[in-house]
Amino acid sequence: MWRRVASLSSSISSYSTSFVAQTASRLNTWESLTTGIAIAQQGKGFIAPKEKTPFITFVLGGPGSGKGTQCVKIVETFGFTHLSAGDLLRREIASNSADGVMILNTIKEGKIVPSEVTVRLIQKEMESSDNDKFIIDGFPRTEENRVSFERFIGVEPNVVLFFDCPEEEMVKRLLNRNQGRVDDNLETIKTRLQVFEALSLPVINYYSQRGNLYTIRAKGTEDEIFEQVRPIFTTFDVCHRAVE
């Protein structure tokens, strides 16, 4: 299991008292998971050694780009733990917890679930995992998501995969997948694609400038597309797991 104590930014003094309390509690959680390590205080933040830095991959792409299928292949081939922000939110709703009720009400009101809530669910899954390799599917969707993740988790992704698929191909896939989803109609699909472009392209451009974005031409067979993905993780010397 990887464990890490996130550093507090010097700008924390500008936050509200309640936010500071939440952040301190989050730090205490990380600290309790780290055994036999002395925490050194430096300036206004806390810095502690970590057993092993997690290898984090973000997977981005429009609806119908095939990123979900490729996530399965990455997990099977390289032994990553797959985390889907949407699945985590739905699971929290099904648990009927206080956060789940809040998430459901937020969605019903047509509002966006606060980034902090989504990041907290991702963080919880990472903390409880014995793995140190994570592939996070469909996240961050927005610049706010990205900033919140880096603020609370305290690290940037090692790899950001962007499955770049022609719009006509995504539309065709969504119309043909026959999963019974009410949003799989042409008008709604077009809207979803527009929303993706407006919200996610700034994130993609940011990571492109950071130098950790890998664009995958997401047209062709599943295996053809994966052959573009495989060398990326091989370059990083990510250990393989035998495929059963």
Side-chain angles (χ1 to χ4, degrees):
M1 179 184 294
W2 69 275
R3 303 169 177 98
R4 187 181 192 280
V5 180
S7 299
L8 286 177
S9 168
S10 60
S11 63
I12 194 171
S13 59
S14 64
Y15 295 157
S16 65
T17 302
S18 62
F19 182 83
V20 174
Q22 293 173 11
T23 306
S25 174
R26 187 174 296 106
L27 283 171
N28 289 336
T29 300
W30 282 107
E31 181 179 354
S32 68
L33 289 170
T34 308
T35 59
I37 300 176
I39 298 180
Q41 183 175 2
Q42 298 183 5
K44 296 182 180 181
F46 293 101
I47 301 177
K50 51 188 178 295
E51 290 184 0
K52 191 171 183 181
T53 302
F55 190 100
I56 297 174
T57 299
F58 288 157
V59 180
L60 305 176
S65 62
K67 62 184 184 296
T69 299
Q70 295 301 314
C71 282
V72 173
K73 287 183 171 292
I74 293 169
V75 168
E76 291 176 346
T77 306
F78 295 103
F80 278 75
T81 292
H82 180 204
L83 302 178
S84 165
D87 288 347
L88 292 176
L89 289 170
R90 285 185 286 272
R91 190 173 74 185
E92 192 67 21
I93 291 172
S95 73
N96 204 32
S97 66
D99 276 348
V101 172
M102 180 276 293
I103 293 168
L104 180 60
N105 289 336
T106 300
I107 294 173
K108 284 182 176 179
E109 293 170 3
K111 299 178 181 178
I112 298 175
V113 176
S115 294
E116 180 182 349
V117 174
T118 306
V119 172
R120 190 167 67 241
L121 293 175
I122 293 172
Q123 182 185 35
K124 181 180 177 181
E125 291 297 306
M126 293 173 69
E127 289 175 353
S128 64
S129 175
D130 289 330
N131 204 347
D132 60 11
K133 298 180 294 185
F134 300 93
I135 185 164
I136 304 177
D137 180 5
F139 186 91
R141 293 181 183 274
T142 67
E143 273 288 277
E144 183 189 5
N145 284 170
R146 178 190 67 76
V147 171
S148 293
F149 182 91
E150 294 178 4
R151 178 188 299 154
F152 288 105
I153 305 300
V155 295
E156 290 189 3
N158 302 82
V159 170
V160 180
L161 297 179
F162 169 44
F163 287 90
D164 187 14
C165 188
E167 180 175 320
E168 61 272 16
E169 179 69 15
M170 289 190 285
V171 170
K172 182 175 70 174
R173 290 176 182 175
L174 292 171
L175 290 175
N176 292 338
R177 68 184 182 179
N178 194 28
Q179 292 182 352
R181 288 179 51 161
V182 295
D183 55 353
D184 283 350
N185 61 75
L186 185 57
E187 182 179 351
T188 306
I189 288 171
K190 291 283 189 180
T191 300
R192 291 170 61 198
L193 290 170
Q194 291 170 1
V195 169
F196 169 77
E197 182 173 353
L199 297 181
S200 296
L201 285 187
V203 179
I204 292 165
N205 290 334
Y206 173 84
Y207 285 122
S208 177
Q209 294 171 3
R210 296 290 290 174
N212 53 356
L213 181 79
Y214 296 83
T215 299
I216 306 299
R217 298 188 312 278
K219 188 173 182 180
T221 68
E222 295 176 6
D223 289 339
E224 288 171 345
I225 294 171
F226 186 64
E227 286 309 308
Q228 299 177 59
V229 174
R230 186 193 300 274
I232 295 170
F233 294 103
T234 303
T235 299
F236 279 93
D237 196 26
V238 176
C239 295
H240 289 247
R241 183 181 66 180
V243 180
E244 298 178 359

